[in-house]
Amino acid sequence: MNIKKLIVTTIGLGADATFDVVVNGDVKGTIFAPKYDPSYVVTIGEETRSIEFVSRSGGTAEISRVLAVVE
Protein backbone atom coordinates (compact mmCIF):
# COMPACT_ATOMS: atom_id res chain seq x y z
CA MET A 1 0.00 0.00 0.00
CA ASN A 2 1.32 3.45 -0.85
CA ILE A 3 0.90 5.50 2.34
CA LYS A 4 1.21 9.26 1.97
CA LYS A 5 1.21 10.03 5.71
CA LEU A 6 0.21 8.67 9.11
CA ILE A 7 -1.77 10.58 11.72
CA VAL A 8 -0.86 9.23 15.18
CA THR A 9 -2.80 10.06 18.34
CA THR A 10 -0.82 9.25 21.50
CA ILE A 11 -0.19 10.27 25.11
CA GLY A 12 2.51 9.41 27.62
CA LEU A 13 1.25 7.26 30.49
CA GLY A 14 2.51 8.58 33.82
CA ALA A 15 5.63 10.11 32.25
CA ASP A 16 6.71 11.60 28.96
CA ALA A 17 7.61 9.05 26.27
CA THR A 18 9.59 9.19 23.03
CA PHE A 19 9.35 6.70 20.17
CA ASP A 20 10.36 6.36 16.53
CA VAL A 21 7.98 5.64 13.66
CA VAL A 22 9.80 3.05 11.55
CA VAL A 23 8.56 2.26 8.02
CA ASN A 24 10.18 -0.49 5.97
CA GLY A 25 13.09 -0.45 8.42
CA ASP A 26 13.74 3.32 8.10
CA VAL A 27 12.96 5.91 10.78
CA LYS A 28 10.39 8.32 9.31
CA GLY A 29 9.81 10.40 12.41
CA THR A 30 10.28 10.65 16.16
CA ILE A 31 7.32 11.41 18.41
CA PHE A 32 7.65 12.97 21.86
CA ALA A 33 4.47 12.18 23.77
CA PRO A 34 3.86 14.15 26.97
CA LYS A 35 0.92 13.31 29.23
CA TYR A 36 -1.50 15.36 27.10
CA ASP A 37 -0.90 16.19 23.47
CA PRO A 38 -2.57 16.47 20.05
CA SER A 39 -2.11 14.16 17.09
CA TYR A 40 1.13 13.97 15.10
CA VAL A 41 1.51 13.79 11.32
CA VAL A 42 4.36 11.63 9.96
CA THR A 43 5.07 11.93 6.23
CA ILE A 44 5.73 8.54 4.59
CA GLY A 45 5.31 9.01 0.81
CA GLU A 46 6.30 5.48 -0.27
CA GLU A 47 5.12 1.92 -0.79
CA THR A 48 4.80 0.53 2.74
CA ARG A 49 5.28 -3.09 3.81
CA SER A 50 5.64 -2.54 7.55
CA ILE A 51 5.09 0.12 10.22
CA GLU A 52 6.60 -0.11 13.70
CA PHE A 53 6.59 2.15 16.75
CA VAL A 54 9.91 1.73 18.57
CA SER A 55 10.42 3.13 22.09
CA ARG A 56 13.47 5.38 22.46
CA SER A 57 13.24 6.69 26.03
CA GLY A 58 10.97 7.77 28.83
CA GLY A 59 7.77 6.19 30.01
CA THR A 60 5.14 4.13 28.28
CA ALA A 61 3.02 5.69 25.53
CA GLU A 62 -0.54 4.78 24.67
CA ILE A 63 -1.19 4.99 20.95
CA SER A 64 -4.93 5.35 20.73
CA ARG A 65 -5.33 5.81 16.98
CA VAL A 66 -3.33 5.57 13.76
CA LEU A 67 -4.90 6.78 10.52
CA ALA A 68 -3.25 6.26 7.13
CA VAL A 69 -3.74 8.66 4.23
CA VAL A 70 -3.32 6.54 1.09
CA GLU A 71 -2.97 7.39 -2.59
Side-chain angles (χ1 to χ4, degrees):
M1 179 178 299
N2 193 344
I3 296 178
K4 189 173 185 178
K5 62 181 79 175
L6 293 178
I7 302 167
V8 181
T9 303
T10 183
I11 60 170
L13 298 177
D16 298 342
T18 304
F19 59 93
D20 290 333
V21 179
V22 180
V23 177
N24 301 329
D26 295 323
V27 176
K28 290 295 185 174
T30 299
I31 293 178
F32 172 74
K35 290 179 81 171
Y36 301 101
D37 214 16
S39 299
Y40 296 86
V41 176
V42 180
T43 302
I44 306 299
E46 67 182 74
E47 185 73 22
T48 302
R49 293 178 308 282
S50 69
I51 298 171
E52 300 173 69
F53 299 96
V54 180
S55 178
R56 289 183 57 158
S57 65
T60 302
E62 175 184 304
I63 299 171
S64 58
R65 182 173 55 174
V66 177
L67 301 173
V69 178
V70 297
E71 293 183 343

